[in-house]
Amino acid sequence: MVELKQQQQTNPEEAEPLTQREICSEVLGKKLGYFRGLGNRPHPTSTRGIDTSEADRLYGIISSQKSRLDSQDVELKEQKKNIDQLESKLSQFESMM
C-alpha cells in the first residue's frame, strides 16, 4: 500500500489518483464471502451508497405512473357516469313499452 502511494506521488502524470479503498482492494484483493442460497460471492464494494441517477429514474417512473393512474381514474368516473345515464334511459324505454 505504501509502495502504491509512493508510486503515485513520484509519477502523478502517469496514473489517475486512486482512492484509499481502491488501493486496499488492489493490495489485498477482493474478499469472498458466503451468501445464503447463493454460495461464495464477492462482497459489494459499498452497501451504503445510493446510485442517485437510478433513484432519480425510479422517481420519474413513479411520478409518470401516478399521473397515468390519475387520468385513468378520471376516465373511469366518466365511464361510470355514462353507464348510469344509459341505464336510466334503458329503464325509461322499458317503462314506455
Side-chain angles (χ1 to χ4, degrees), residues 63-76:
S63 66
S64 68
Q65 293 295 325
K66 282 183 179 179
S67 64
R68 184 175 172 200
L69 180 63
D70 290 340
S71 66
Q72 288 177 345
D73 190 37
V74 168
E75 185 178 344
L76 180 62

Side-chain angles (χ1 to χ4, degrees), residues 81-97:
K81 183 179 175 183
N82 288 338
I83 289 172
D84 289 341
Q85 289 174 351
L86 290 172
E87 285 178 344
S88 69
K89 286 182 181 181
L90 180 62
S91 65
Q92 287 175 358
F93 285 129
E94 288 177 345
S95 66
M96 291 176 152
M97 294 182 160

Side-chain angles (χ1 to χ4, degrees), residues 32-77:
L32 292 178
Y34 183 80
F35 286 92
R36 185 178 210 167
L38 299 175
N40 288 325
R41 302 273 188 237
H43 284 285
T45 56
S46 174
T47 57
R48 295 179 188 232
I50 297 173
D51 184 10
T52 56
S53 62
E54 180 70 10
D56 291 341
R57 184 182 72 81
L58 293 174
Y59 281 126
I61 291 172
I62 290 170
S63 66
S64 68
Q65 293 295 325
K66 282 183 179 179
S67 64
R68 184 175 172 200
L69 180 63
D70 290 340
S71 66
Q72 288 177 345
D73 190 37
V74 168
E75 185 178 344
L76 180 62
K77 287 179 183 178

